[in-house]
Amino acid sequence: MEQERYLSASPHVSDGESIPKIMYGVVLALLPAAVGAVYFFGLKALWIILIASAAAIGSEAAVQAALHKRITIADGSALVTGILVAFNVPASVPLWMPALGAIFGIVVGKHAFGGLGYNPMNPALLGRAFLLASWPTHMTVFTAAPRGGSLSGIEPATISALGLDAVTQATPLKLLKGAREVLANSAVADPAKYADYAKAVNALYDSYGNLFWGKVGGCIGETSAFLLLVGALFLLYKRYIGWKIPFAYLGTVALLSWIFAGTDGLFSGKPLFHLLSGGVMLGAFYMATDMVTSPVTFRGRLLFGAGCGVITMIIRLIGGYPEGVCYSILLMNLTVPLLDRSTRPRILGEKK
């Protein structure tokens, strides 16, 4: 009896991983930060996460049904997009906003290009960029202070003792950006305002503990570096992400912030402050490493991470926004085909 044989295209080696297994692994990694978001910002954060997730899954099912495609909402990719959109909005936004951001990310950022595996940019970040461009006030004015903390991350008792209420009603990056502008123009600055910002910057640099644990204002999923690192270690252990992009991203942010981001001239910046503030941790480990929208080569990943870091610091130091993670990753997503082509390893024996 003749034995049946099957022919198929490469690759022919399987390691047992699958899209659902990886996606639900990412969801599991995001769980500590989600619990932290609810703890710090209350039940409103839970509603934001649930609504954004439901909107992402529902819109994916609707698009695939309309296009007569197989419905793949069970693979977990839409759920990841929904959670990440929720993590990228403040707790004070109206509940329709994360839903709209998730729908935009799924419909325009993902299925307009053919679905999972074909999208050139991270769908969750595209959803955030859409919300940021459409309703900038809702996305950049933070009014919800975390439980036991303050918007700036400075201890409430310190704010009261130093009389800094007037200058600390902002997130750490926004406070530092305002302070740098005032301190850099000491000759024309109001003396009282100059003194307040000088004291606020010193207090800000003494608040690393609050920045690390999450007792600081910001988008609901980005404030706790500790909880994000817990999930990131799990992803690294499972090899769902590699070290190259986060290492290059965080290393570039640390280097450039040390050189250019200080209030006393070159080489006076505080790298740890910039690593713990804003969305760098969330972006470096959970969004820049998206396997669909990041390079596959060794050098390509290092260049991609470094590019994200450079653009982030340009926006933070020179741009109009105090934060630059979202646009840095989206812009670098567009360079991925070029990076992969230009850093492709030479085939043995190949001559250029």
Side-chain angles (χ1 to χ4, degrees):
M1 183 176 178
E2 294 185 2
Q3 184 179 0
E4 288 188 348
R5 299 181 184 279
Y6 297 93
L7 296 177
S8 64
S10 60
H12 302 291
V13 179
S14 173
D15 63 358
E17 298 292 353
S18 64
I19 291 175
K21 191 174 179 180
I22 293 173
M23 291 300 166
Y24 287 111
V26 176
V27 172
L28 188 61
L30 290 168
L31 193 57
V35 173
V38 176
Y39 173 79
F40 287 118
F41 297 104
L43 286 178
K44 177 73 178 294
L46 178 61
W47 279 111
I48 289 173
I49 295 170
L50 292 176
I51 289 173
S53 301
I57 294 171
S59 58
E60 175 142 298
V63 170
Q64 290 177 328
L67 297 175
H68 304 292
K69 290 184 174 180
R70 185 170 64 90
I71 295 177
T72 59
I73 56 174
D75 68 10
S77 62
L79 177 60
V80 170
T81 298
I83 295 174
L84 288 175
V85 169
F87 275 22
N88 277 280
V89 300
S92 56
V93 297
L95 292 176
W96 55 265
M97 277 188 62
L100 200 56
I103 293 170
F104 187 89
I106 291 292
V107 176
V108 179
K110 186 176 178 181
H111 285 284
F113 296 95
L116 183 64
Y118 298 97
N119 50 294
M121 291 180 282
N122 185 294
L125 285 175
L126 209 56
R128 175 193 160 96
F130 168 68
L131 297 178
L132 194 60
S134 303
W135 297 278
T137 303
H138 282 300
M139 292 293 289
T140 58
V141 177
F142 296 86
T143 57
R147 175 187 296 192
S150 67
L151 285 173
S152 63
I154 301 173
E155 287 292 342
T158 304
I159 294 174
S160 299
L162 298 177
L164 298 175
D165 298 271
V167 297
T168 55
Q169 299 302 312
T171 57
L173 289 173
K174 197 168 185 178
L175 173 58
L176 182 65
K177 196 176 186 69
R180 291 183 74 246
E181 291 173 359
V182 173
L183 299 179
N185 297 286
S186 57
V188 297
D190 175 72
K193 192 174 183 180
Y194 182 91
D196 281 350
Y197 272 120
K199 288 187 289 186
V201 168
N202 289 330
L204 205 56
Y205 289 156
D206 290 335
S207 305
Y208 288 143
N210 289 343
L211 297 180
F212 181 72
W213 296 112
K215 293 166 64 175
V216 60
C219 295
I220 65 170
E222 69 182 22
T223 59
S224 176
F226 169 71
L227 296 175
L228 291 170
L229 287 172
V230 169
L233 289 175
F234 171 74
L235 294 178
L236 288 166
Y237 170 73
K238 297 292 289 184
R239 297 188 177 183
Y240 293 161
I241 64 172
W243 61 269
K244 305 171 195 70
I245 292 175
F247 172 79
Y249 193 164
L250 298 177
T252 303
V253 168
L255 178 64
L256 295 181
S257 60
W258 173 56
I259 297 174
F260 298 109
T263 56
D264 297 317
L266 292 176
F267 304 103
S268 66
K270 306 291 184 183
L272 190 57
F273 172 82
H274 279 272
L275 292 178
L276 297 178
S277 302
V280 168
M281 289 292 177
L282 180 64
F285 288 106
Y286 296 91
M287 294 185 287
T289 53
D290 178 5
M291 57 184 65
V292 175
T293 58
S294 60
V296 297
T297 64
F298 183 92
R299 287 186 296 147
R301 290 177 176 176
L302 291 177
L303 291 171
F304 179 86
C308 290
V310 169
I311 297 173
T312 295
M313 291 311 300
I314 288 175
I315 295 175
R316 283 187 175 187
L317 299 179
I318 304 174
Y321 289 112
E323 178 60 286
V325 171
C326 172
Y327 290 116
S328 73
I329 297 175
L330 287 175
L331 290 172
M332 288 306 296
N333 284 160
L334 299 177
T335 70
V336 168
L338 176 63
L339 289 174
D340 275 338
R341 188 165 58 248
S342 59
T343 60
R344 184 179 58 189
R346 184 180 300 180
I347 300 173
L348 183 62
E350 179 186 21
K351 294 181 179 179
K352 289 190 175 179

